[in-house]
């Protein structure tokens, strides 16, 4: 339980998807113009992460890992294809479920929901999970040793991403009123803003729980 | 031969290098561009891998574009790309193991690199194999160019080395020069890319 909590907090602040690993940057930059849509996308990403990472964890442990399926067979090299297929499939499924049970949420998320399939944050979380399964839970606070850990990691990463995109959207809304040099306007200044935010988040790196 | 290198095909190759650069203008594929550039060597390897994968996935999709049903095209594209990335990842592990460890998950993340999906959707689905190949090479090299630029600045200022060789002479350190440790932090790559975009837009302003 303690390990799960530490994993959760670490993946929000220290191993933040945006500021430490730059994952999901494309949609992060494209959709952070207003706080409202940014929040919608953040929730969708968290939701999809929460479904895909545990499923990929099960795949990794029971099918892909060394000696998991058949004694003496290591299928890890198939991970890329299987993970992306699972993600694309689940995104499709989530889309249908959301459309059926909550049409208002479906309308609010719009095009972002199908696009999440190619969001690097989702694939990245699964690949990090794959690395961390091999770590020793006794010595490393990043290790993922069970379903609970996988869920905590997914939820933490999603919330970290949500936090980052809402923060940037809020800053960009204010920045519309400032006087930025012409060639730097738009994309350039956004990059520099994210850089400064990432520096601010670096001060969490000594965090120990 | 002249048909192979017609005006149109040459533009498919050269536009992404500068005027339509995937990173600074189209804003695609930023994720990996920022994370792997703390040194020059992984940046070069990453740039070349992406170039190869973009070119070949463009060719494959362009060859089978007429047989792909429209509804499931994204899945087909993802599977083709994932297969190519798996091959590249195995090659990297076999021949440049240290770099492949340094790149860690970012090799796998080439699958979700937006440059690939963007080029497949926007170019390969409408054009023949040869222009698609040139377009893939052009976009890959445009991406690699920015990566190498950022990697160059960060390694030079952060470590005083290039490709692992010491370039800042010892006597400069004796005069009190210190490596800028800030440059090795991930946050700086964002700011450097921001500055590159700034410079790029200032230079190309008249042409727009």
């Amino acid at each position: 339980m303690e390990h799960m909590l530490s994993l959760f907090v670490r993946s929000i602040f220290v191993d933040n998807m945006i500021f430490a690993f730059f994952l999901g940057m494309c949609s992060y930059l494209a959709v952070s113009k207003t706080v409202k849509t940014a929040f919608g996308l953040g929730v969708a990403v968290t939701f999809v992460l929460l479904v895909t990472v545990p499923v990929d964890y099960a795949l990794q442990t029971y099918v892909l890992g060394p000696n998991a399926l058949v004694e003496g067979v290591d299928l890890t090299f198939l991970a890329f294809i299987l993970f992306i297929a699972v993600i694309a499939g689940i995104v499709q499924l989530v889309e249908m479920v959301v459309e059926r049970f909550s049409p208002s949420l479906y309308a609010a998320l719009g095009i972002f929901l199908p696009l999440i399939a190619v969001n690097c944050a989702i694939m990245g979380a699964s690949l990090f999970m794959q690395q961390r399964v091999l770590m020793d839970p006794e010595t490393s606070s990043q290790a993922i040793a069970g379903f609970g850990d996988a869920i905590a990691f997914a939820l933490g990463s999603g919330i970290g991403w949500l936090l980052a995109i809402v923060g940037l959207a809020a800053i960009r809304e204010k920045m519309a009123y400032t006087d930025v040099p012409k060639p730097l306007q738009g994309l350039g200044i956004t990059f520099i803003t994210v850089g400064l935010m990432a520096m601010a988040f670096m001060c969490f790196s000594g965090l120990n729980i | 031969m002249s048909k192979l290198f017609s005006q149109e095909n040459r533009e498919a190759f050269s536009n992404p290098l500068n005027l339509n650069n995937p990173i600074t203008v189209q804003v695609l594929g930023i994720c990996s561009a920022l994370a792997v550039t703390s040194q020059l060597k992984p940046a070069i390897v990453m740039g070349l891998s992406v170039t190869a994968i973009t070119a070949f996935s463009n060719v494959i999709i362009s060859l089978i574009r007429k047989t792909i049903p429209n509804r499931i095209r994204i899945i087909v594209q993802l599977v083709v790309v994932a297969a190519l990335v798996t091959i590249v990842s195995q090659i990297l592990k076999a021949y440049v193991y240290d770099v492949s460890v340094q790149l860690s998950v970012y090799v796998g993340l080439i699958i979700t690199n937006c440059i690939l999906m963007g080029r497949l959707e926007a170019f390969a689905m409408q054009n023949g194999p040869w222009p698609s190949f040139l377009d893939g090479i052009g976009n890959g090299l445009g991406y690699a160019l920015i990566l190498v630029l950022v990697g160059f600045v960060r390694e030079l200022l952060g470590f005083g080395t290039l490709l692992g060789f010491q370039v800042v002479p010892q006597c400069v350190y004796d005069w009190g020069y210190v490596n800028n440790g800030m440059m090795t932090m991930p946050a700086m790559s964002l700011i450097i890319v921001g500055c590159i975009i700034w410079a790029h837009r200032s230079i190309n302003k008249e042409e727009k």
Side-chain angles (χ1 to χ4, degrees), chain A residues 13-72:
Chain A
F13 293 108
V14 184
D15 298 331
N16 188 295
M17 277 285 169
I18 294 279
F19 298 130
F21 301 118
F22 308 112
L23 296 179
M25 215 57 186
C26 309
S27 42
Y28 178 74
L29 293 172
V31 188
S32 55
K33 289 201 180 76
T34 55
V35 172
K36 198 161 168 276
T37 48
F39 187 76
L41 182 67
V43 170
V45 166
T46 313
F47 188 55
V48 174
L49 271 176
L50 208 51
V51 183
T52 53
V53 173
V55 171
D56 282 344
Y57 175 80
L59 263 182
Q60 169 69 26
T61 345
Y62 299 116
V63 180
L64 292 174
N67 302 331
L69 200 59
V70 184
E71 196 63 34

Side-chain angles (χ1 to χ4, degrees), chain A residues 27-159:
Chain A
S27 42
Y28 178 74
L29 293 172
V31 188
S32 55
K33 289 201 180 76
T34 55
V35 172
K36 198 161 168 276
T37 48
F39 187 76
L41 182 67
V43 170
V45 166
T46 313
F47 188 55
V48 174
L49 271 176
L50 208 51
V51 183
T52 53
V53 173
V55 171
D56 282 344
Y57 175 80
L59 263 182
Q60 169 69 26
T61 345
Y62 299 116
V63 180
L64 292 174
N67 302 331
L69 200 59
V70 184
E71 196 63 34
V73 176
D74 183 358
L75 293 174
T76 319
F77 68 93
L78 286 177
F80 293 161
I81 294 190
L82 264 181
F83 283 179
I84 197 73
V86 164
I87 290 168
I90 285 179
V91 168
Q92 197 92 57
L93 209 66
V94 166
E95 200 183 340
M96 288 194 289
V97 171
V98 171
E99 190 180 11
R100 170 75 181 75
F101 291 104
S102 169
S104 59
L105 181 65
Y106 182 75
L109 292 177
I111 183 75
F112 304 137
L113 206 51
L115 277 187
I116 288 174
V118 285
N119 187 321
C120 349
I122 312 287
M123 184 70 181
S126 286
L127 292 177
F128 276 121
M129 177 275 298
Q130 192 193 18
Q131 279 188 345
R132 290 172 178 208
V133 166
L134 304 173
M135 293 176 182
D136 182 14
E138 297 298 319
T139 53
S140 169
S141 63
Q142 291 186 319
I144 291 177
F147 262 107
D149 288 356
I151 292 171
F153 170 67
L155 191 62
S157 305
I159 291 178

